[in-house]
Amino acid sequence: MLLPRRRAGSGSGRRADSVRAGRGRTGREPAEPATRAGRAAASGFRHLDDRLPAAAGGSLVRKAFPDHWSFLLGELALYSLVLLILTGTFLTFFFHPGEREIPYDGSYLPLNGVLVSEAYASTLDISFDVRGGLLIRQVHHWAALVFVSAIGVHMMRVFFTGAFRKPREINWVVGVTLFVLAVAEGFCGYSLPDDLLSGTGLRVVQSLLLSIPVVGTYLSFFLFGGEYPGEDIITRLYVTHILLIPGLLVGLVVLHLILVVHLKHTQWGGPGRTEKNVVGQPMVPQFTAKSAGLSMIVFAVPTLLGGMVQINPVWAYGPYRTDQVSTGAQPDWYVGFLEGALRLMPPFETQVWGHTFMWNVLIPTVVLPALLFLALYLYPFLEKWVTGDEAEHHLCDRPRERPTRTALGVAGITFYAVLLLAGGNDVLADVFGVSLNGLTWCFRGFLVLGPVLAFMVVKRLCLAMRAHDLERAYAGEETGEVRQGVEGRLEETRRPVSPQERYTLLMRQAPRPIEAAPVLGDGSGDGDGDGAEGRTDGRAATRTQRLRLALSRWYHEDRIE
Ligand code: HEM
Ligand code: HEM
């Protein structure tokens, strides 16, 4: 039985937690945990709960967590962050960020006597001379890949289900900031060992800085502590990597989670699940047990990978030297899209008053990422503006129900994927034995056409799936059997879908484009915000309003009602 529990002062103040104990519906109060240990844990939490501010008006112990797997993606990111902090702390005991050159005298014989930076030497020491060092280094690197991937997938879940809509726009903004910080943290991290691969990445950063008009040279001198490569960059990246960004990340994650608890989770629609309640398993013991299990998997998988699959063998790349670049150099995947943008950009430069504007570096590495992240930051607000949807939403959209949003999302992912693949164009050309220039031109074409094609295909697919849903709801689902009547006619048979499924298929809203009237008003010009201050001649009053109407029509066109 679903038992609504109202939580004063939390979220919109109107949503109630409906806690379902276990998966069964018992028709009674939410069941107490069956085992003695479970009951003891629950009672301990309740004691804490009564004494913490979070308990005001309700119980954290009985907070409902939706039990769909997609709500565990955020936790995947959370636990990989914990693993990164633990393994990173271990690494700080042995890593020396210095750039002074010393002759290497550790266990890796091929480099014995070679002049290398202290940072590089200490990374080799961690790998070959510190007990368990290589394992922890590799676990740290694998965990970083899992972390950024988890954030990416979590962000897609939030995007495609519309969980960024009112009242969660601020949490979306916090989330995008977490994403930017995670990418920056990863970049700083893999630049620390000062090997040939990471040095090549830093060289790209220097070009990026130099391409910024007017202040570029100063920025480069400031960051690198003088003429490239300078003597300060590794120390600065180190402080940023182990103190500054982790501090910001942890602070923002705490804020992010406070907002999740305060606003409560969204949930998938279905019988008994409304905009006014949250149905799910209680925090203790079901959710805690599930989450603890997930945390162990998150700790185990990178540890297994770290123990068995080699990653970033810096001894094979050699120490960084400004006059060398290794072939096939690839950054970690999350930075690959910038590399791809750099490789696809045609070589444009402009000379103005003796100064060179390097568009070929400025556009792909500064303008493009700035626009991409700006689009991510603004999306919830832009969608609200275009749809005129000011309502609070706590039920997840099924992606097919918002064909334009889903198609836009897939178009964005296609754009990103093309850039990522282009970042490895040399490796692809080598593996498939094709011309590098030919491949680059193909990628350029696909960068423009791919997102458009993806948009069109995905929108049609969403509409088709939605039409199919409605057909199932009204006409029933196909049984796969064909019957022949007495008069010889063949007809397919259908059976009605279950009432629960029918409810889920039909409970959707049918959003419509903004009507001209509220935007245009009745011409009263009283400016009282009641939609009655526009014109009466059927034309939008301003260019912005006309744009908004046009975008709204485009957003909602071809809908299935
Ligand atoms: C939160 C996200 C983090 C990410 C994405 C991240 C990522 C990375 C990456 C990719 C490396 C290069 C590893 C390698 O050499 O193969 C690295 C190195 C390092 N990280 Fe992190 N890291 C994170 C957090 C931390 C934290 C919190 C600390 C310290 C408390 C830390 C300390 C270190 C140290 C000392 C190194 C250099 C050691 C080495 O490369 O062998 N990291 N990090
Ligand atoms: C360090 C990175 C992050 C961590 C640790 C994290 C963690 C979480 C957790 C544990 C939840 C609740 C469970 C769930 O819905 O999955 C959540 C919800 C949420 N996250 Fe994140 N997140 C991170 C990054 C992001 C990013 C990059 C975005 C979007 C750009 C985002 C937006 C949201 C939103 C809007 C919710 C509320 C969703 C809902 O109520 O359904 N988060 N996050």
Side-chain angles (χ1 to χ4, degrees):
M1 165 112 175
L2 306 168
L3 291 160
R5 289 163 52 88
R6 202 163 284 278
R7 299 191 64 182
S10 79
S12 59
R14 293 191 298 281
R15 293 187 80 209
D17 280 303
S18 292
V19 176
R20 203 178 68 212
R23 299 195 71 83
R25 297 183 183 177
T26 60
R28 287 177 276 117
E29 269 283 322
E32 277 287 312
T35 61
R36 190 183 293 180
R39 279 194 297 276
S43 131
F45 272 100
R46 231 171 273 138
H47 271 82
L48 272 181
D49 213 35
D50 292 341
R51 285 157 185 80
L52 292 173
S59 159
L60 196 59
V61 176
R62 305 306 279 166
K63 180 179 159 37
F65 283 83
D67 49 6
H68 194 265
W69 62 267
S70 60
F71 290 86
L72 288 178
L73 293 168
E75 271 152 61
L76 197 61
L78 186 63
Y79 294 130
S80 29
L81 176 62
V82 173
L83 182 58
L84 277 167
I85 294 176
L86 292 177
T87 48
T89 307
F90 176 92
L91 292 174
T92 49
F93 295 143
F94 305 100
F95 182 77
H96 304 292
E99 275 176 82
R100 194 167 53 88
E101 292 217 311
I102 50 169
Y104 174 70
D105 63 354
S107 308
Y108 186 65
L109 296 180
L111 285 177
N112 239 337
V114 175
L115 275 183
V116 299
S117 67
E118 280 175 298
Y120 185 73
S122 71
T123 310
L124 291 188
D125 288 344
I126 292 175
S127 308
F128 295 107
D129 297 302
V130 172
R131 190 159 297 192
L134 180 59
L135 174 70
I136 301 292
R137 237 195 91 220
Q138 301 209 133
V139 173
H140 191 71
H141 206 131
W142 277 116
L145 297 186
V146 172
F147 176 59
V148 189
S149 312
I151 297 185
V153 184
H154 170 59
M155 183 164 73
M156 285 189 228
R157 187 299 271 173
V158 170
F159 180 85
F160 287 115
T161 59
F164 55 77
R165 289 172 299 170
K166 190 175 172 188
R168 295 183 181 74
E169 304 95 325
I170 308 252
N171 221 10
W172 169 267
V173 169
V174 173
V176 178
T177 313
L178 285 171
F179 188 52
V180 177
L181 286 174
V183 173
E185 176 74 344
F187 182 81
C188 292
Y190 79 69
S191 301
L192 290 180
D194 201 25
D195 58 296
L196 195 50
L197 180 62
S198 65
T200 308
L202 283 178
R203 177 59 122 182
V204 176
V205 170
Q206 195 228 2
S207 320
L208 173 164
L209 291 174
L210 289 180
S211 76
I212 299 175
V214 187
V215 292
T217 329
Y218 299 99
L219 282 179
S220 170
F221 262 71
F222 173 71
L223 190 74
F224 289 91
E227 195 76 52
Y228 180 84
E231 299 216 322
D232 295 334
I233 186 69
I234 301 289
T235 326
R236 288 177 180 171
L237 288 176
Y238 185 61
V239 175
T240 313
H241 185 74
I242 67 158
L243 187 73
L244 199 61
I245 302 188
L248 287 171
L249 271 175
V250 171
L252 283 176
V253 165
V254 171
L255 174 65
H256 193 62
L257 297 184
I258 288 177
L259 284 172
V260 170
V261 172
H262 180 68
L263 298 168
K264 302 187 175 170
H265 288 77
T266 54
Q267 62 184 342
W268 290 100
R273 292 152 194 238
T274 69
E275 293 281 7
K276 300 236 186 272
N277 67 5
V278 195
V279 180
Q281 298 176 326
M283 172 129 139
V284 179
Q286 280 92 340
F287 177 76
T288 318
K290 194 157 72 174
S291 189
L294 179 74
S295 70
M296 285 174 199
I297 297 174
V298 174
F299 277 45
V301 171
T303 308
L304 266 180
L305 284 169
M308 291 159 68
V309 188
Q310 188 181 70
I311 189 161
N312 203 16
V314 289
W315 52 91
Y317 306 147
Y320 181 52
R321 285 190 41 181
T322 43
D323 59 340
Q324 289 181 352
V325 178
S326 51
T327 50
Q330 297 292 312
D332 275 359
W333 76 263
Y334 41 88
V335 192
F337 77 105
L338 290 177
E339 175 78 25
L342 204 53
R343 292 184 188 197
L344 291 192
M345 182 73 194
F348 291 145
E349 284 181 6
T350 319
Q351 300 281 341
V352 181
W353 298 312
H355 294 277
T356 311
F357 283 84
M358 295 155 55
W359 306 117
N360 52 340
V361 181
L362 188 70
I363 292 178
T365 57
V366 182
V367 179
L368 179 89
L371 287 179
L372 280 181
F373 284 115
L374 191 68
L376 278 179
Y377 271 118
L378 293 184
Y379 187 83
F381 308 99
L382 287 176
E383 189 183 286
K384 194 192 293 186
W385 185 69
V386 168
T387 56
D389 181 0
E390 291 291 337
E392 282 199 3
H393 293 279
H394 302 290
L395 287 179
C396 294
D397 282 331
R398 288 169 85 207
R400 67 187 66 175
E401 278 149 22
R402 294 285 184 276
T404 309
R405 180 202 296 146
T406 306
L408 276 175
V410 177
I413 294 171
T414 310
F415 185 75
Y416 182 89
V418 176
L419 289 180
L420 191 58
L421 283 175
N425 63 355
D426 53 337
V427 179
L428 291 174
D430 186 43
V431 170
F432 293 105
V434 292
S435 138
L436 180 67
N437 288 342
L439 197 62
T440 302
W441 273 106
C442 286
F443 278 131
R444 282 178 184 158
F446 206 63
L447 190 67
V448 179
L449 291 180
V452 180
L453 279 176
F455 180 88
M456 288 179 347
V457 171
V458 170
K459 188 157 182 186
R460 290 297 119 193
L461 274 177
C462 289
L463 291 168
M465 285 197 284
R466 182 75 189 122
H468 182 61
D469 278 354
L470 293 186
E471 187 188 310
R472 284 180 61 221
Y474 289 117
E477 65 188 339
E478 292 165 356
T479 58
E481 289 170 16
V482 177
R483 291 227 180 101
Q484 190 166 27
V486 279
E487 71 283 13
R489 203 169 51 144
L490 292 172
E491 58 186 30
E492 60 165 355
T493 55
R494 287 175 176 262
R495 65 171 159 257
V497 293
S498 69
Q500 284 87 348
E501 197 177 352
R502 194 175 144 83
Y503 178 93
T504 311
L505 292 174
L506 292 180
M507 67 181 288
R508 307 294 152 198
Q509 306 156 344
R512 304 183 63 82
I514 308 174
E515 296 295 331
V519 177
L520 304 176
D522 64 2
S524 69
D526 55 9
D528 60 4
D530 65 356
E533 47 276 344
R535 298 164 47 149
T536 51
D537 57 5
R539 298 200 40 177
T542 64
R543 197 174 290 178
T544 320
Q545 287 176 342
R546 279 202 294 279
L547 175 71
R548 188 176 176 204
L549 284 178
L551 282 176
S552 183
R553 268 196 295 274
W554 168 78
Y555 188 90
H556 291 293
E557 73 183 351
D558 298 337
R559 61 195 179 276
I560 308 268
E561 293 188 359

